[in-house]
Amino acid sequence: MKKRIWIAFLCLIIFGTTFGLPQPSCADETTGGILLTCPSAILMEASTKSVIYEKAPDERRSPASITKIMTAILIFDAIEAGKISLEDEVVTSAYAKSMGGSQVYLEEGEKQTVDTLIKCIMVSSGNDASVAMAEYIAGSESGFVQMMNERAASLGMENTHFEDCCGLTDSDNHYTTARDIALMAQELITRYPQIKSYTTIWMDTVRNGEFGLSNTNKLVRFYDGTTGLKTGYTSGAGYCLSASAERGGMELIAVVMHCKTSPDRFESAKALLNYGFANYALVDPMENLTIEPVPVVLGRQELVQVQAQGAGTILIDKALAGSVTCAVELDESVTAPVLKGQQLGTLRVEAGGRLLREIALAAAQEVPALGFPDIWRMMLERVCMAG
């Protein structure tokens, strides 16, 4: 027999504001979509990986320096594993020095810390700094690239293959997609949020103030809530951008590929982010929700606490945010023994008559059954109390 507890909650949404560059219109009045000049794009919410918008998201294209997002992931993997530290000094090889394109002009034999090289990679898109770190971690760029491809596969990046660690190559075998870029961007900013201390730098210096760095991602200065992430450009890739921004507790990832001009990529990314922040919000079904413990029959504890399994936040259209309800169905009692994780009920999250998520409610701890000595003792205690 089940008991039903209906609990409704209103999700308060805080609308972000934008300032800086003029805001372009992102609504297509004929289709309700988003006006973009780029041929491939995606908009993802970071915590849930929910895709809000996509345009040819699985079309393979050259990512140029957006490649460095994976390079950063492997750097922080190595730091997390204790293989390297931010204070380690890295010696620049002749090969690393020889990189063209975006660089910080490292000299052969020059020593810089891992911390400084991360800054050079994520702020100024230094190809030389990327190769120096690749060689430091894997012994060679080719060995590092193998690690990049293995890591990409582990993230489910099904349409990605790397040939270098910085995106400078013109090889047709160096490719990815908007969807795959969003997946690796999500991994970087959620698993290693400390990356934002680098990706939000607008201007800085290295070499004791002798060399200036300026962020290639102009949204850092001009878009409210920007948290990163990485630009890219080659003649073959066009102008690319993976941009992340956070407002009101929600972080979005916008990816645009093969834009014709640099302003196009920033305007397209802003249009995506504006659309997401204006129309979507996160709700937490467990916020302000109290679930009573379930009575245990013949258990060594009278009650078992209940916990939701895999609840998390839910991305929802803002128009439905005020109609979100939670329906809790719990067993009236459970007979011992009770196993930890044993399902005791269900939480149904709905909005506008539509089921958003069904969450299992389970025992938070084990409750052993009473043994014969326990039952005999209880009977004696009751007899004594009655006498």
Side-chain angles (χ1 to χ4, degrees):
M1 184 176 179
K2 302 279 188 180
K3 61 179 179 181
R4 293 176 176 263
I5 308 168
W6 289 90
I7 303 171
F9 62 88
L10 175 65
C11 300
L12 300 177
I13 307 302
I14 302 175
F15 287 85
T17 58
T18 58
F19 45 85
L21 296 177
Q23 302 300 312
S25 171
C26 64
D28 184 332
E29 296 179 358
T30 60
T31 66
I34 304 174
L35 289 173
L36 298 176
T37 58
C38 59
S40 182
I42 198 167
L43 178 65
M44 175 186 288
E45 194 284 314
S47 66
T48 62
K49 294 186 182 179
S50 299
V51 174
I52 296 172
Y53 173 90
E54 58 185 28
K55 177 181 180 181
D58 300 311
E59 194 171 274
R60 293 179 177 181
R61 293 183 177 276
S62 171
S65 284
I66 288 181
T67 299
K68 295 182 177 79
I69 293 176
M70 182 58 75
T71 298
I73 289 174
L74 291 186
I75 293 172
F76 281 95
D77 282 349
I79 293 172
E80 183 181 62
K83 296 177 180 179
I84 65 173
S85 74
L86 290 173
E87 294 75 30
D88 288 357
E89 288 192 332
V90 179
V91 181
T92 304
S93 69
Y95 176 64
K97 177 187 182 301
S98 71
M99 293 297 108
S102 299
Q103 54 186 307
V104 292
Y105 302 99
L106 295 173
E107 294 293 335
E108 182 179 356
E110 180 177 349
K111 295 180 180 179
Q112 292 292 345
T113 64
V114 169
D115 178 66
T116 296
L117 291 177
I118 294 173
K119 189 185 301 184
C120 292
I121 294 168
M122 300 310 295
V123 177
S124 289
S125 197
N127 295 323
D128 45 2
S130 299
V131 173
M133 282 304 309
E135 292 177 330
Y136 184 65
I137 290 172
S140 66
E141 185 184 19
S142 60
F144 190 82
V145 169
Q146 182 178 345
M147 294 169 60
M148 292 172 68
N149 286 315
E150 291 171 354
R151 193 68 161 86
S154 74
L155 293 175
M157 297 169 60
E158 298 178 353
N159 291 293
T160 295
H161 185 265
F162 297 114
E163 293 240 317
D164 71 10
C165 68
C166 56
L168 188 60
T169 180
D170 287 326
S171 171
D172 291 338
N173 288 323
H174 188 90
Y175 57 81
T176 187
T177 67
R179 188 187 309 280
D180 284 0
I181 290 173
L183 287 173
M184 71 174 175
Q186 190 273 344
E187 173 74 357
L188 180 59
I189 64 176
T190 58
R191 180 163 181 169
Y192 301 117
Q194 61 267 42
I195 191 65
K196 298 172 190 176
S197 66
Y198 300 94
T199 57
T200 54
I201 293 171
W202 174 235
M203 299 187 75
D204 206 337
T205 61
V206 294
R207 299 189 180 105
N208 297 318
E210 295 180 0
F211 188 86
L213 304 178
S214 179
N215 205 318
T216 58
N217 179 10
K218 305 311 177 187
L219 296 187
V220 169
R221 183 177 181 185
F222 295 113
Y223 192 81
D224 181 36
T226 297
T227 55
L229 195 59
K230 193 70 198 71
T231 60
Y233 171 78
T234 63
S235 57
Y239 292 90
C240 308
L241 174 63
S242 175
S244 60
E246 183 174 9
R247 294 180 187 171
M250 181 173 70
E251 189 162 23
L252 300 178
I253 298 166
V255 179
V256 294
M257 301 189 74
H258 206 77
C259 295
K260 292 182 179 180
T261 69
S262 184
D264 280 349
R265 65 178 166 186
F266 295 121
E267 293 302 307
S268 294
K270 284 167 57 182
L272 285 168
L273 294 170
N274 286 343
Y275 178 81
F277 287 126
N279 292 283
Y280 290 86
L282 289 175
V283 296
D284 182 357
M286 303 306 297
E287 186 177 12
N288 302 322
L289 180 62
T290 301
I291 301 175
E292 299 295 332
V294 174
V296 180
V297 178
L298 298 177
R300 292 186 179 178
Q301 295 174 210
E302 294 183 355
L303 299 171
V304 60
Q305 299 298 321
V306 179
Q307 65 183 10
Q309 292 191 324
T313 54
I314 301 173
L315 187 71
I316 186 173
D317 191 312
K318 278 187 175 180
L320 297 176
S323 64
V324 176
T325 60
C326 287
V328 178
E329 295 184 355
L330 278 178
D331 293 335
E332 287 194 339
S333 64
V334 60
T335 301
V338 181
L339 301 178
K340 182 178 180 179
Q342 179 177 328
Q343 186 164 346
L344 303 174
T346 304
L347 171 66
R348 291 174 58 87
V349 185
E350 300 179 349
R354 181 167 62 92
L355 177 66
L356 300 179
R357 184 175 296 175
E358 192 167 81
I359 301 167
L361 301 176
Q365 74 275 348
E366 178 184 347
V367 180
L370 290 171
F372 180 77
D374 300 312
I375 297 173
W376 180 252
R377 185 173 59 254
M378 289 175 59
M379 290 176 62
L380 288 177
E381 289 175 352
R382 290 180 181 178
V383 168
C384 291
M385 291 178 63

